Amino acid sequence: MTFRFIHTADWQLGRAFGNLPPELAGELSGARYAAIARIAGIASANGARHVLVAGDIFDAEDLSNTMLRRALERMAEQSAVTWVLLPGNHDPARTGGVWDRVMRFGVPANIICVREDQPLALDGNVFVLPSPLTSKNPGRDPTQWMDTGATPAGAVRIGLAHGSVQGFGSDGESSVLIARDRAATAGLSYLALGDWHGALRVGPQTWYSGTPEPDRFPNNEPGHVLAVSVDGPGVAASVEKIASAQFTWARTTAALRSSSDLAGLEASVASLSTSPGKLLLKLVLTGSLSLSEHADLDAWRETWQARLAHLDVDTAALAVRPVDQDFENLGSDGPLVEAARSLADIASDPTRPDSAVAALALQRLFGFAAQARREGGA
Amino acid sequence: MKIDALRVAAFRRFADPAAIEDFADGVNVLTGPNEMGKSTFFHALEAAFVVRHKVSGTVLDAMRPFAGGEPLVEADFSLNGNRWRIRKQFGRGSAAILTDLTAGRVAARNAEAEDQLGRLIGRAGDLQGPIGLVWVKQQRTLHAPDPDVDYVSGKEKPRGERNALQDAIGREVETAAGGEALERVRQLTEAALDLYLTPTRNAAKKNGPLDSARRKRDETRAALDLAERAAAAAEQRLQAIAAASAEFAALSAPELAARRQHDLAQLEAELASEVQRRAEFDVAREALKARLSEAESARQSLAAERARAERLSNLDQQRSLALDLEAQIAALAASLNSDGATPARLQQLSRAAHARDVADAGLQGEAARIEVRVEPAGAGLVRIDGHVIAGQARHDVPESADIVIDGIAAIRVTAAGAERTAAARQSRDAAGLEIAEILVAIGAAAIGEARDRAEARSRKAEELDRMRAKLSGVAPQGSAAIAKEFDRLLASIPPEGGVAALEDNVNSRAAAAHVMRERVDGLMSTILSDEAFRARSAKLDAARNAEASTARELARLTMRIENLKSEQAGADEDGRAGQVAALSGEYERHDGEVKRLEAEGKALLMLARTLEAIEAKARDAFFEPVTRRVQPYLNEVFGSAGLGFKDAFAIDGLTRDGQRQDFAVLSDGTREQLSVLVRLGFAELLAARGVSVPLVLDDPLVYSDDERLGKICRVLQAASLRSPAAGSEPRGLQIIVLTCRATAFQTLSGRRVSVTAWRPDV
């Protein structure tokens, strides 16, 4: 008998994205809810009737009632799927907490909220051993009990937990440390983990699924769910990584030396996503540009800011270095050139605390001078 | 330096090549209608002498004609006896060529050409080049005057302290020294700063972008603080719920509760049996008390009965004694009553005896004494007063005595004091009579006996008193009372069985009390001491209190958890805590915007200060000498009297037609004239320093009236003829006026230059 299920985690429903423009924040927030239907679609495409969500279903305990109910509604709509929800460190199962509210609202029939360390019979002889977190910081290995958690002989044991794995350099925020060999010690066919937002195998039969919809500029692989199939007790599960994200969050660093480098940058940005409207890009620029090249960059940025869902260009490390041409545009050795040189001296001296200010002042000087020329020509 | 020719091609208005070939020394005037392109020639001069040939972007675009093409400018000029040509090709194929026309060779190309040109016209050095100083472009002479009063706040600006005229001259000097481009950049910088900052530049402008961004950021921060507080409260509540739940679970743990119950029940049972024992003990002790009291009562009954019997016996004796005494008393009293020897009689007797004795004594004194001796033959025959005398006798005769000797003689003897004697005898007789009577009454024969009898009677009376006293002691109320008491006592009902029964009773009661005593003592040994009992009770009370307080604590915890939960539910409804993430992101966004704007403001401020510093340097260098040079022109143009200078060339006013005027506000015309005069001053100053450049005026003095214009023209004319200083060029200042007002400048004599077609050599 083969048992198939979908392993996902870190939905972080209700995440606010307040640092992004409100309309984009709304889209991103909505995309997380929309992921529920996509995951259900992936489940049915892979012959799975169960979706195990390894914690952090909700981004916070104090989400509005509407947000909580909306999540339940979205899951209830996918009636072909049974959702097994595990409280994580963002949404721990504590009295008066978010799951109490969910219980108050009434849980749809196809949702199982696990709130106790107790084997849960899923399908025939398949048992889920869940380790719900009961506080943000339990300070213990919640999977400990799995070693002794009793299931009938011949049962397929699947662990479900949320936290960091010991010895693995996770940047997960929780202080929960899960023994790396838990799958072995607890006789698990598979241990489904949440907290690390990228899809990652961290040990034998032990996987992080990552978040199905990225929520930050990552250095891991977010935006997947895992389709898992288990052929029987003691048989290693087979795992398939399936893309599930609507939005791509990317972080790119590029060194610019001239306007012509912009073309290369453009190509690399275009390769990040087939749908630029769903790409959020954090672009860190280094190198140096002349003032006129900087103006070209500004124009480029305006274009791409419109093209992408979001473009954040960090030019803190991009130097502005006026070249002869820049000075020539200011005219002969007049007072403007003198002013520009004085600012350029400051800007090019990294030991000065006001070098960045001077660089900006220099850009403004050239901008205003160009404007004055235009007016003079009018 | 003198400009000889100026040629342009594909330059601004002139798509076709055009040239002015006929510049002369002194005054040159190019007149023509508007739009003919006078200003294009001005720009061409700039392009030839100031703009770099490699210029690009907007600067280049501005030079290109609408029709397109690559701008070309060429200028011929004379300097120190040599003739030169600068030719600049802009845009595609840009190049600069400086040709020494005198020598007939190219002196330098491109950047080197421009550098050499700069040196030729005196641009090198620490001061910026002179060209911009003296070329005055159309309408650029006019600064919008800085109002002295801020319209919004109504406050005087710090600048208002400066005299408007001085300010105007200063500004002209700055502009001339800094150049027009610098001035414009400065204006744009200030305009941009005006968006962000207040005029004093030390605060964000109200409702400006920086101010708005800060406000938004601060508002978000405030909302975020509230949300964070709400979230912290929620977190605290949830932790409190968890803590209270854990406490509840610990308190209500079944095995703990069972043990508490068991301990309590055991204590209660122990104490109950102890109470039972103590109750038995109390009952026994009460019974003992009763038994003891009964025994005592039996003893008292016995004693009472015994006392009654004794009393009866006593009463009986008393009664006998009293009866006896009463009989004796009655006998004695009767005896006394019948006894005549009463003390009164005895006293009477004594008095009578005494009276007789007294009378006897009287009789004896007076009496005669008879002494007789009767012989034995006469025995029985001699009598005195009838009394036979035997033997010898003496006989006193108080009064008279009759002595008879029977048959022999009768003799009478009479005493001498017979009379008194008679009285005495009478008294004695009376007394004797009384005595006799008393004696009869007493029943005594003689006084002596009477006295004995009286004494005996007295003893009898004493005896009676004694008897009575005794009776009074035995029976004060008399024997009858005793008898009555006796009868009463006798009549009271004696107990059944009498004293013996009572004695039996006493014995049995005492035995019962003894039994009870033993029982009490036995029980006493089984019960706790009072102290121990109180301690045990206290222990039970404590256990019960603990149980009750546990129950109360559980109730309290239940209530607390419920309250916290409902508080939490309320907070969830409120939803403020849920906004933390959104608001902190928003705060980050606004803060980023504020930082960006602050950086922008800082950069603009730095730019403004840099520009100011450069301008100030120029002003400091030129203000004083230029003002000194301008002063005569000012006098000439504005009136006979001059400017009043205070210290440090602070102009305190303009004296015109003999009247001092403070120039709070200068008219546009006046400022325009000042601008031209200041530039003239500059040109002369430079010429005096050996750098001679033409004064170029592009459509100047449009606001000046004819009279003032005429005066300016005279000044310019004079300057064009004057030889500024020894050692400099012999000719006067070259002045090029580009104007559309031919008639206005009619009085300005000089060359009227003309625009001709040009065919640039390739």
Side-chain angles (χ1 to χ4, degrees):
Chain A
M1 182 220 84
T2 300
F3 178 69
R4 295 175 202 279
F5 66 95
I6 299 295
H7 166 200
T8 176
D10 304 304
W11 289 3
Q12 316 282 154
L13 295 173
R15 195 174 177 87
F17 303 104
N19 55 337
L20 295 171
E23 65 283 353
L24 174 60
E27 270 191 71
L28 292 173
S29 189
R32 311 198 75 72
Y33 283 98
I36 293 172
R38 282 202 307 284
I39 291 168
I42 292 170
S44 73
N46 284 271
R49 291 189 295 111
H50 294 89
V51 176
L52 308 190
V53 192
D56 288 359
I57 288 90
F58 299 111
D59 187 51
E61 293 181 279
D62 37 28
L63 297 185
S64 74
N65 289 345
T66 309
M67 284 174 162
L68 298 185
R69 285 171 180 276
R70 179 166 299 150
L72 299 177
E73 292 294 332
R74 292 289 170 273
M75 283 185 264
E77 282 163 13
Q78 307 300 329
S79 53
V81 170
T82 296
W83 308 88
V84 179
L85 308 183
L86 179 85
N89 64 312
H90 274 252
D91 51 0
R94 45 181 177 176
T95 311
V98 65
W99 294 103
D100 267 9
R101 287 160 71 197
V102 166
M103 294 298 157
R104 266 209 309 279
F105 301 149
V107 180
N110 64 332
I111 295 179
I112 301 170
C113 304
V114 289
R115 303 171 76 193
E116 286 177 346
D117 296 349
Q118 213 154 46
L120 170 71
L122 270 199
D123 196 8
N125 66 336
V126 177
F127 283 80
V128 167
L129 285 80
S131 294
L133 296 189
T134 51
S135 73
K136 285 176 185 283
N137 185 0
R140 60 180 171 90
D141 180 352
T143 63
Q144 181 88 50
W145 79 277
M146 292 181 186
D147 288 358
T148 52
T151 50
V156 171
R157 290 158 67 89
I158 297 169
L160 181 61
H162 186 90
S164 307
V165 166
Q166 287 169 6
F168 162 61
S170 164
D171 64 353
E173 333 144 291
S174 74
S175 67
V176 179
L177 279 181
I178 293 168
R180 195 172 193 169
D181 58 352
R182 181 65 66 208
T185 61
L188 304 177
S189 295
Y190 184 81
L191 174 54
L193 295 178
D195 194 36
W196 172 255
H197 279 212
L200 189 74
R201 179 178 179 274
V202 286
Q205 323 304 332
T206 306
W207 282 76
Y208 282 107
S209 65
T211 181
E213 184 67 49
D215 59 351
R216 61 189 78 165
F217 295 103
N219 46 13
N220 49 25
E221 262 191 282
H224 297 89
V225 298
L226 301 178
V228 185
S229 49
V230 182
D231 288 329
V235 182
S238 69
V239 179
E240 188 191 349
K241 200 163 82 176
I242 299 171
S244 58
Q246 211 182 116
F247 282 89
T248 306
W249 294 57
R251 179 203 298 267
T252 299
T253 301
L256 297 184
R257 300 270 173 265
S258 70
S259 292
S260 59
D261 290 341
L262 284 177
L265 177 62
E266 194 157 318
S268 88
V269 170
S271 73
L272 288 171
S273 170
T274 50
S275 50
K278 298 292 185 192
L279 174 63
L280 289 88
L281 178 62
K282 190 178 183 80
L283 187 56
V284 180
L285 296 179
T286 60
S288 68
L289 291 180
S290 72
L291 285 157
S292 60
E293 286 163 345
H294 215 280
D296 293 343
L297 173 63
D298 285 343
W300 183 90
R301 172 171 26 198
E302 278 174 28
T303 304
W304 280 86
Q305 255 162 357
R307 195 171 288 168
L308 301 184
H310 184 66
L311 174 61
D312 176 12
V313 182
D314 180 354
T315 57
L318 177 66
V320 178
R321 295 202 201 291
V323 295
D324 288 349
Q325 181 65 56
D326 293 323
F327 290 112
E328 272 159 17
N329 285 346
L330 284 180
S332 58
D333 297 339
L336 274 184
V337 177
E338 190 187 347
R341 289 202 186 282
S342 135
L343 290 173
D345 285 349
I346 300 172
S348 61
D349 181 355
T351 63
R352 292 196 54 150
D354 51 354
S355 66
V357 175
L360 191 56
L362 195 56
Q363 288 182 60
R364 294 295 168 268
L365 168 58
F366 279 80
F368 291 148
Q371 186 181 343
R373 291 280 179 192
R374 276 198 301 277
E375 289 169 355
Chain B
M1 186 188 84
K2 177 208 158 202
I3 290 168
D4 297 320
L6 178 64
R7 308 175 188 98
V8 297
F11 190 86
R12 289 187 176 246
R13 193 168 290 279
F14 290 94
D16 297 327
I20 301 173
E21 301 282 358
D22 52 352
F23 286 110
D25 289 342
V27 174
N28 294 267
V29 181
L30 174 63
T31 59
N34 289 322
E35 313 292 315
M36 81 158 279
K38 296 183 303 296
S39 288
T40 295
F41 281 108
F42 185 89
H43 287 297
L45 274 174
E46 262 190 334
F49 289 96
V50 181
V51 179
R52 297 273 186 176
H53 70 283
K54 290 196 74 165
V55 78
S56 64
T58 56
V59 184
L60 176 61
D61 293 344
M63 288 194 286
R64 282 201 172 104
F66 292 123
E70 304 304 321
L72 175 67
V73 179
E74 192 178 275
D76 294 353
F77 60 97
S78 312
L79 189 64
N80 298 329
N82 289 328
R83 294 189 60 241
W84 299 83
R85 171 173 296 164
I86 179 69
R87 179 189 173 104
K88 283 185 182 172
Q89 174 70 57
F90 297 99
R92 213 168 31 251
S94 64
I97 303 169
L98 179 65
T99 308
D100 183 344
L101 293 177
T102 311
R105 59 178 175 84
V106 172
R109 288 180 187 275
N110 298 341
E112 280 180 17
E114 283 171 340
D115 290 347
Q116 193 176 345
L117 176 67
R119 283 196 296 278
L120 281 174
I121 61 178
R123 200 174 59 210
D126 58 339
L127 290 177
Q128 54 282 353
I131 303 292
L133 296 183
V134 289
W135 293 355
V136 185
K137 205 191 284 182
Q138 184 174 30
Q139 290 183 355
R140 289 283 182 250
T141 57
L142 295 184
H143 293 292
D146 251 4
D148 290 349
V149 174
D150 185 87
Y151 295 124
V152 182
S153 66
K155 281 182 193 154
E156 249 188 40
K157 286 182 173 180
R159 278 201 163 207
E161 297 159 9
R162 277 168 72 177
N163 181 284
L165 180 62
Q166 181 197 10
D167 184 34
I169 293 174
R171 293 290 295 276
E172 288 303 336
V173 169
E174 278 177 10
T175 307
E180 174 225 332
L182 177 73
E183 183 58 21
R184 183 59 189 148
V185 168
R186 210 178 69 91
Q187 284 174 8
L188 288 170
T189 307
E190 294 295 336
L193 271 172
D194 283 342
L195 275 179
Y196 294 105
L197 304 178
T198 56
T200 54
R201 304 293 186 234
N202 48 21
K205 184 182 161 189
K206 196 166 165 59
N207 296 326
L210 179 55
D211 181 52
S212 300
R214 279 183 180 157
R215 223 176 21 245
K216 258 192 236 159
R217 179 195 61 184
D218 295 346
E219 281 163 6
T220 310
R221 179 75 250 178
L224 176 58
D225 286 346
L226 285 179
E228 277 175 344
R229 272 203 290 279
E235 178 61 30
Q236 227 166 19
R237 261 196 308 274
L238 289 173
Q239 285 178 7
I241 289 173
S245 300
E247 218 179 318
F248 187 91
L251 271 179
S252 60
E255 66 277 7
L256 255 175
R259 198 168 66 218
R260 272 201 315 271
Q261 291 290 350
H262 172 78
D263 291 354
L264 183 62
Q266 198 171 2
L267 269 175
E268 274 177 337
E270 274 173 19
L271 201 72
S273 71
E274 175 66 18
V275 165
Q276 175 68 35
R277 278 194 299 278
R278 288 179 80 85
E280 279 173 27
F281 170 73
D282 285 346
V283 167
R285 201 170 49 183
E286 285 308 309
L288 172 59
K289 261 192 220 163
R291 293 300 88 76
L292 287 173
S293 149
E294 281 164 11
E296 178 59 27
S297 150
R299 271 193 295 276
Q300 279 173 5
S301 296
L302 175 60
E305 187 52 31
R306 282 185 174 145
R308 191 174 77 104
E310 193 182 324
R311 176 101 176 113
L312 275 175
S313 151
N314 286 345
L315 282 174
D316 194 31
Q317 284 174 11
Q318 274 176 334
R319 186 182 56 180
S320 312
L321 187 58
L323 283 174
D324 193 28
L325 282 171
E326 277 168 352
Q328 288 182 41
I329 287 166
L332 264 177
S335 163
L336 273 178
N337 278 340
S338 60
D339 190 344
T342 66
R345 277 191 183 120
L346 203 62
Q347 206 173 3
Q348 205 180 348
L349 181 61
S350 292
R351 267 192 320 268
H354 181 71
R356 192 186 63 187
D357 287 348
V358 168
D360 274 348
L363 279 174
Q364 277 165 355
E366 296 295 332
R369 185 163 292 167
I370 308 165
E371 288 168 291
V372 168
R373 196 190 43 134
V374 166
E375 305 289 337
L381 296 155
V382 173
R383 294 174 305 192
I384 309 173
D385 291 332
H387 301 286
V388 170
I389 301 292
Q392 216 173 331
R394 203 175 68 178
H395 189 72
D396 290 325
V397 180
E399 201 180 344
S400 60
D402 286 339
I403 308 162
V404 164
I405 313 163
D406 260 7
I408 311 181
I411 330 162
R412 172 163 284 204
V413 174
T414 307
E419 261 181 63
R420 278 192 316 259
T421 304
R425 199 197 5 98
Q426 256 186 328
S427 286
R428 195 190 61 113
D429 288 351
L433 207 63
E434 193 179 1
I435 287 168
E437 275 174 16
I438 291 169
L439 286 175
V440 169
I442 288 172
I447 289 176
E449 189 190 358
R451 283 207 169 106
D452 290 345
R453 293 273 309 267
E455 201 171 316
R457 189 183 182 276
S458 174
R459 277 196 300 275
K460 255 194 293 191
E462 281 172 11
E463 180 63 16
L464 180 60
D465 283 346
R466 262 196 317 278
M467 287 289 182
R468 277 179 176 149
K470 197 172 177 185
L471 177 60
S472 171
V474 171
Q477 264 94 45
S479 62
I482 291 174
K484 198 174 163 195
E485 173 69 7
F486 180 84
D487 290 345
R488 191 185 59 76
L489 262 182
L490 198 61
S492 66
I493 302 161
E496 205 180 330
V499 168
L502 285 174
E503 279 173 346
D504 286 349
N505 191 31
V506 165
N507 289 336
S508 71
R509 294 292 182 191
H514 180 72
V515 167
M516 197 47 78
R517 162 81 64 199
E518 288 189 329
R519 176 164 165 69
V520 165
D521 288 350
L523 283 172
M524 175 88 96
S525 67
T526 68
I527 62 169
L528 295 170
S529 72
D530 280 359
E531 199 179 338
F533 178 73
R534 273 195 299 274
R536 186 67 60 90
S537 292
K539 197 172 164 192
L540 177 62
D541 285 350
R544 279 181 178 145
N545 283 344
E547 189 62 23
S549 82
T550 300
R552 274 198 307 276
E553 184 61 8
L554 286 175
R556 187 189 70 80
L557 284 169
T558 306
M559 182 171 279
R560 174 159 167 74
I561 290 167
E562 282 315 306
N563 284 345
L564 284 167
K565 273 183 175 174
S566 83
E567 252 179 65
Q568 183 61 21
D572 289 334
E573 289 297 328
D574 171 53
R576 190 183 283 283
Q579 296 169 355
V580 167
L583 285 171
S584 70
E586 210 175 302
Y587 173 78
E588 211 174 284
R589 192 154 53 86
H590 290 315
D591 191 47
E593 181 65 4
V594 166
K595 290 202 168 82
R596 189 185 72 74
L597 291 171
E598 282 174 349
E600 186 71 27
K602 272 187 200 154
L604 287 171
L605 267 182
M606 181 186 266
L607 177 55
R609 289 195 180 124
T610 304
L611 297 174
E612 249 168 48
I614 284 168
E615 282 185 326
K617 201 163 80 175
R619 188 178 59 236
D620 292 349
F622 289 110
F623 183 78
E624 186 267 334
V626 168
T627 307
R628 188 181 299 133
R629 282 184 183 276
V630 167
Q631 190 173 3
Y633 305 147
L634 293 173
N635 291 344
E636 189 169 343
V637 173
F638 295 119
S640 51
L643 291 166
F645 282 95
K646 292 198 294 194
D647 294 342
F649 293 90
I651 301 162
D652 67 350
L654 192 62
T655 308
R656 196 184 280 174
D657 303 330
Q659 290 210 313
R660 273 183 59 86
Q661 292 180 343
D662 284 331
F663 286 87
V665 177
L666 297 179
S667 72
D668 288 347
T670 302
R671 284 187 287 116
E672 187 183 55
Q673 292 144 26
L674 276 175
S675 176
V676 171
L677 294 179
V678 164
R679 275 158 180 76
L680 178 58
F682 261 114
E684 294 196 327
L685 176 64
L686 290 168
R689 291 182 179 180
V691 181
S692 169
V693 292
L695 173 62
V696 183
L697 303 174
D698 180 18
D699 218 356
L701 302 167
V702 292
Y703 296 99
S704 299
D705 58 36
D706 288 348
E707 185 198 342
R708 198 66 66 76
L709 186 58
K711 285 180 176 171
I712 295 272
C713 285
R714 279 200 296 281
V715 167
L716 291 174
Q717 198 88 63
S720 73
L721 299 173
R722 184 157 48 232
S723 185
S728 66
E729 289 189 44
R731 290 180 295 261
L733 191 64
Q734 186 184 34
I735 297 173
I736 300 170
V737 178
L738 310 171
T739 179
C740 57
R741 297 186 298 160
T743 48
F745 285 90
Q746 239 167 8
T747 57
L748 186 63
S749 61
R751 173 73 55 86
R752 265 36 183 183
V753 296
S754 54
V755 179
T756 57
W758 176 47
R759 209 174 141 267
D761 45 340
V762 181

